[in-house]
Amino acid sequence: MRILHTSDWHIGRTFHGHSTLEALTDVLTALVEQVHEHDVEVVLIAGDVFDSATPAASAYTLLDSTLLALRETGATVIMTSGNHDSAARLGFHSRLLRDGIHVLTDPRTIVEPVTVEDEHGPVRFFGIPYLEPAIVRHHWTDAGGGTPAPRTQAQVMDHAMHLVREGMAAAPGRAVAIAHCFAAGVDATAGLEREVRQGGLDVVPLAFFDGPDYVALGHIHGRQRLSDRVHYSGAPLHYSFGEQHKQRGSWLVDLDADGLASTQWLPLPVPRTLVTLTGALDEILSDENVAAHADDWVCAVYTDPIPQHEPMRRLRERFPFCALVQHEPVGAGTGSDLSYAQRLRSAITDMDRIEAFLEHVRAGAGATEHEAELIREVLDDRVRAEALI
């Protein structure tokens, strides 16, 4: 059996205020073509289908058209909900969907797999939606064997995988699990979700996923191969500049009669390249950069000692797709060993205080000779005005 593992479509998400719907449409069209080209029999979508619990109508339109296009290739589609999705909204019409499209959003049905046959017999797919401990512990008031109801992400995933193994024991054979969580061993540079917390209770130990022949995970936006059997596919689009160097794509998974046979990475096209340009603002605006990056999404990190006038306007005149500007002066945080507060306390005159402030906000660069002259004139005028009162 040939399986395509994808996740984290985030339909409806914006990129620094820009709609991503058109770009995502192009990428999902390419994904459908890959399903057809590689004779994929099952497509797995591991959560965060939408970016919001209340998606716009255009997001539903793109999802419906993509699901129908996938089904027209002959593939079975199995989709679970993520933390960005509303499980109720994503699953509300699951019973009305045409045969071959399965939306699994109810934690109470984890033990009930979707079964797909190939020449070697059945493969059972167990869908685990994103599990919010505060919600699912009301369904699992007793996790079995006298164990208290689960209260953390790790505990709910442990119980969910216990249910998967129960289902596997009831119907032995090949099995695949689909889940949306933060698993131990993830590379923190891979593109973490905005809400992911790495320190503690939300981390799911890798050993919890023992049992199935393959585990298709979602929640991390960069591809990850945690073991031979446990993979993240990442998002099909770049949704932040922190992800710009990460490949976009999906995993092509082959099962033979004995279980997992192979996995292969299938790259997806990047509609618009992301690039970060660093240097003085005039250097970033050079003709050389414009020629190379005029059609890219640009993050400009300018290093001039002081903030420049209207940097975004100037950048967009040269880079129409400049999305982000950051000011990071060279040498920021260097200079005196004293803190800003300590320098203010040790300042004797107003000129000293102003100089300390300028050096603080300009990464150590104080007033120029001309600026110092203007500051002294203002201070002298204030002194004269106070003397007349």
Side-chain angles (χ1 to χ4, degrees), residues 18 22 30 39 61 82 180 205 212 235 272 282 322 324 341 368-369:
H18 301 269
E22 183 178 350
D39 296 320
T61 299
H180 194 88
R272 192 178 301 283
D282 286 342
C322 182
L324 183 63
T368 65
E369 182 177 342

Side-chain angles (χ1 to χ4, degrees), residues 64 133 136 199 208 268 334:
D64 289 348
V136 299
F208 285 8
L268 283 168
T334 62

Side-chain angles (χ1 to χ4, degrees), residues 73-143:
T73 67
T76 297
V77 181
I78 303 174
M79 178 168 61
T80 61
S81 52
N83 58 301
H84 279 253
D85 302 309
S86 162
R89 288 179 182 271
L90 188 63
F92 85 98
H93 64 325
S94 58
R95 295 183 181 180
L96 304 178
L97 290 172
R98 64 171 61 187
D99 183 46
I101 300 177
H102 305 270
V103 184
L104 309 179
T105 62
D106 189 345
R108 294 168 296 187
T109 62
I110 289 173
V111 74
E112 303 169 13
V114 173
T115 301
V116 183
E117 300 272 350
D118 69 0
E119 66 271 23
H120 303 298
V123 178
R124 293 177 174 83
F125 294 87
F126 295 87
I128 304 173
Y130 177 75
L131 301 172
E132 181 60 53
I135 296 174
V136 299
R137 68 168 174 256
H138 298 300
H139 300 313
W140 299 332
T141 54
D142 185 343

Side-chain angles (χ1 to χ4, degrees), residues 240-259:
S240 74
F241 282 100
E243 302 170 17
Q244 68 187 67
H245 301 299
K246 306 300 179 182
Q247 292 189 35
R248 304 289 89 171
S250 51
W251 288 105
L252 189 66
V253 180
D254 281 312
L255 301 182
D256 59 18
D258 298 320

Side-chain angles (χ1 to χ4, degrees), residues 79 109 146 212 229 263 275 299 332 352:
M79 178 168 61
T109 62
R229 300 178 306 101
T263 58
V275 63
C299 170
D352 292 337

Side-chain angles (χ1 to χ4, degrees), residues 7-295:
S7 72
D8 294 273
W9 290 1
H10 286 279
I11 304 174
R13 188 163 184 169
T14 59
F15 179 76
H16 295 281
H18 301 269
S19 171
T20 62
L21 205 62
E22 183 178 350
L24 185 57
T25 299
D26 292 342
V27 172
L28 293 181
T29 298
L31 185 143
V32 172
E33 292 172 355
Q34 289 180 342
V35 170
H36 178 74
E37 176 187 350
H38 293 276
D39 296 320
V40 171
E41 296 163 79
V42 180
V43 176
L44 307 179
I45 309 170
D48 277 358
V49 179
F50 293 125
D51 190 59
S52 166
T54 56
S58 56
Y60 279 107
T61 299
L62 176 55
L63 176 62
D64 289 348
S65 62
T66 304
L67 291 178
L68 292 176
L70 288 170
R71 185 60 186 140
E72 286 170 1
T73 67
T76 297
V77 181
I78 303 174
M79 178 168 61
T80 61
S81 52
N83 58 301
H84 279 253
D85 302 309
S86 162
R89 288 179 182 271
L90 188 63
F92 85 98
H93 64 325
S94 58
R95 295 183 181 180
L96 304 178
L97 290 172
R98 64 171 61 187
D99 183 46
I101 300 177
H102 305 270
V103 184
L104 309 179
T105 62
D106 189 345
R108 294 168 296 187
T109 62
I110 289 173
V111 74
E112 303 169 13
V114 173
T115 301
V116 183
E117 300 272 350
D118 69 0
E119 66 271 23
H120 303 298
V123 178
R124 293 177 174 83
F125 294 87
F126 295 87
I128 304 173
Y130 177 75
L131 301 172
E132 181 60 53
I135 296 174
V136 299
R137 68 168 174 256
H138 298 300
H139 300 313
W140 299 332
T141 54
D142 185 343
T147 303
R151 303 185 67 86
T152 68
Q153 184 71 199
Q155 289 170 351
V156 294
M157 280 302 302
D158 187 22
H159 184 61
M161 287 303 300
H162 175 72
L163 295 176
V164 168
R165 286 185 284 271
E166 279 187 5
M168 293 173 59
R174 296 168 296 165
V176 173
I178 311 109
H180 194 88
C181 64
F182 182 47
V186 167
D187 177 2
T189 67
L192 297 178
E193 272 284 9
R194 290 168 291 190
E195 295 82 358
V196 168
R197 297 191 297 276
Q198 295 183 58
L201 299 182
D202 285 341
V203 178
V204 179
L206 192 59
F208 285 8
F209 299 109
D210 288 349
D213 296 284
Y214 182 77
V215 179
L217 295 180
H219 200 35
I220 303 301
H221 286 189
R223 69 172 182 178
Q224 294 277 294
R225 188 175 181 273
L226 303 186
S227 74
D228 290 341
R229 300 178 306 101
V230 184
H231 293 182
Y232 282 99
S233 65
L237 273 184
H238 292 112
Y239 287 116
S240 74
F241 282 100
E243 302 170 17
Q244 68 187 67
H245 301 299
K246 306 300 179 182
Q247 292 189 35
R248 304 289 89 171
S250 51
W251 288 105
L252 189 66
V253 180
D254 281 312
L255 301 182
D256 59 18
D258 298 320
L260 182 64
S262 66
T263 58
Q264 176 188 348
W265 179 251
L266 293 183
L268 283 168
V270 176
R272 192 178 301 283
T273 302
L274 280 68
V275 63
T276 298
L277 303 178
T278 302
L281 186 59
D282 286 342
E283 294 173 0
I284 293 174
L285 293 168
S286 69
D287 290 340
E288 180 180 351
N289 278 333
V290 172
H293 304 296
D295 294 324

